[in-house]
Amino acid sequence: MNTHTRKLIKLNAREGLGVSIILVILFVFLSVSSEYFLTVENITNLLMHSVFVMLVAFGVMFVLSTGGIDLSVGSVLGLCGGVTGWLMMNGTNMWLAILAGLLLGTLIGAFNGMIITRLRISPFLATFAMLYIARGLLLLFTINEPIRNFATPEFAFLAQGYWLGIPMPVWIALAVFLICYFLFNSTSFGRFVVAVGSNQEAAHLSGISTNSIKIRVYALSGLLAASAGILLSSRLTAVQPLMGTSYELDAIAAAVIGGTSMFGGKGSVTGVAIGAIILALISNGLDLLAVNQFYRLIITGLIIIIAVGVERYTSTRAKTA
């Protein structure tokens, strides 16, 4: 085994170490600080709270790894969940309605990618505009009649049911995690995503269709945002005009906390999952400790900065070791 191989193995072994340390510290602190933290009910609620952000963040991680950004995912989440509920409310078969919601999210994502690659509009502006478009469409769907009373027992089971004592959304998030992990770490698609984010020009010269990769990652981001929206509508059994608001910020935060670079070329599916759980831990812990609302935002921001800083520090040490 040569030196380069040993260094690569060591680097991979230490990937995500920093964010894992933060997760353990928060877990231990809350376990000691609140007698209600380590209850089955609270841990279940904690995992449930993290699932929706986690699903969106997986897609955002792919986009960020190419050097792009997707600010539309929160609105896409709301719109696709709303369309699925609206179709079911008007008598559409549950599976057809779910398929329509997933397809809509995928098409919106692909459209974002095409605007960015074909019209040369910056990812920030393109997806920022789509944030407003998707939110406006959801408002049109709900302006005359709220989207409610559509959840059949089968549909509600997707987000409210249990299998083997574990909530269904957790199983769904685990399945998506495994698929995304395989795509990012074991396929040419994942390698191309990192190559495009690391050096787009070099990737293009090596024969990679950079535009195609970008369109596909935005389509994947839209698909995963749609899946989170459908699952959230199943959980709430209703769709409000503001459903999904700020999810884009939470998803980006989860990805960055987990070690994904905002400049492209680096991502971690495992890190994203841990990042989403950390965000849920912070929110859950502040609730249990009854922290004043005025301090919650400050504390959350500080913990995010510390988590990102520790992750960057351990990653740098791993590279130079």
Side-chain angles (χ1 to χ4, degrees):
M1 185 183 296
N2 59 39
T3 303
H4 176 73
T5 303
R6 285 196 297 268
K7 187 174 182 179
L8 183 60
I9 291 174
K10 185 177 180 181
L11 176 60
N12 289 336
R14 296 181 64 176
E15 187 70 35
L17 176 62
V19 71
S20 299
I21 292 172
I22 295 297
L23 177 63
V24 172
I25 291 174
L26 285 173
F27 196 88
V28 172
F29 173 77
L30 291 175
S31 299
V32 174
S33 302
S34 174
E35 60 181 310
Y36 304 107
F37 177 73
L38 281 180
T39 63
V40 174
E41 181 181 2
N42 186 65
I43 296 299
T44 300
N45 289 334
L46 171 66
L47 291 175
M48 284 289 295
H49 184 70
S50 69
V51 160
F52 305 103
V53 170
M54 191 183 299
L55 290 176
V56 180
F58 285 145
V60 169
M61 185 274 296
F62 277 89
V63 172
L64 291 176
S65 296
T66 63
I69 194 168
D70 192 349
L71 299 176
S72 68
V73 286
S75 295
V76 171
L77 181 156
L79 176 61
C80 294
V83 167
T84 300
W86 182 83
L87 288 172
M88 292 180 63
M89 189 174 68
N90 286 277
T92 304
N93 174 271
M94 181 186 84
W95 295 112
L96 288 178
I98 291 174
L99 181 61
L102 294 175
L103 180 61
L104 177 61
T106 305
L107 290 175
I108 292 175
F111 183 70
N112 282 337
M114 291 179 67
I115 291 176
I116 292 166
T117 57
R118 307 302 182 191
L119 300 182
R120 306 296 181 185
I121 297 176
S122 74
F124 181 92
L125 290 177
T127 59
F128 188 60
M130 185 57 70
L131 178 154
Y132 281 101
I133 294 171
R135 184 63 60 187
L137 290 172
L138 178 58
L139 289 171
L140 288 176
F141 268 101
T142 57
I143 191 170
N144 294 321
E145 182 181 10
I147 302 175
R148 59 189 180 190
N149 300 324
F150 59 84
T152 63
E154 294 80 9
F155 185 71
F157 179 78
L158 291 176
Q160 300 178 33
Y162 287 76
W163 185 54
L164 300 179
I166 298 175
M168 283 301 297
V170 176
W171 287 112
I172 293 171
L174 177 60
V176 174
F177 166 82
L178 292 174
I179 293 171
C180 289
Y181 188 90
F182 174 76
L183 281 176
F184 193 75
N185 294 286
S186 303
T187 67
S188 58
F189 173 67
R191 291 191 293 272
F192 292 165
V193 166
V194 174
V196 170
S198 298
N199 191 322
Q200 182 173 324
E201 185 63 28
H204 177 72
L205 292 175
S206 67
I208 298 174
S209 177
T210 57
N211 285 349
S212 175
I213 293 296
K214 288 182 179 181
I215 292 172
R216 287 158 65 185
V217 296
Y218 280 98
L220 178 61
S221 180
L223 172 64
L224 292 176
S227 69
I230 293 168
L231 203 59
L232 188 57
S233 66
S234 170
R235 178 73 175 173
L236 301 175
T237 65
V239 177
Q240 302 297 329
L242 297 181
M243 188 175 84
T245 301
S246 82
Y247 265 69
E248 60 278 350
L249 301 180
D250 291 339
I252 292 172
V256 174
I257 289 172
T260 300
S261 172
M262 290 285 289
F263 303 102
K266 182 188 176 188
S268 170
V269 178
T270 303
V272 167
I274 296 175
I277 293 174
I278 285 177
L279 290 178
L281 264 176
I282 295 170
S283 178
N284 180 260
L286 294 176
D287 286 338
L288 291 177
L289 299 176
V291 175
N292 187 294
Q293 181 65 35
F294 296 109
Y295 296 106
R296 290 170 66 98
L297 296 176
I298 299 172
I299 294 172
T300 301
L302 289 174
I303 294 176
I304 290 174
I305 291 174
I306 293 171
V308 173
V310 171
E311 173 59 26
R312 294 295 185 269
Y313 175 76
T314 54
S315 296
T316 303
R317 287 290 301 273
K319 289 177 181 178
T320 57

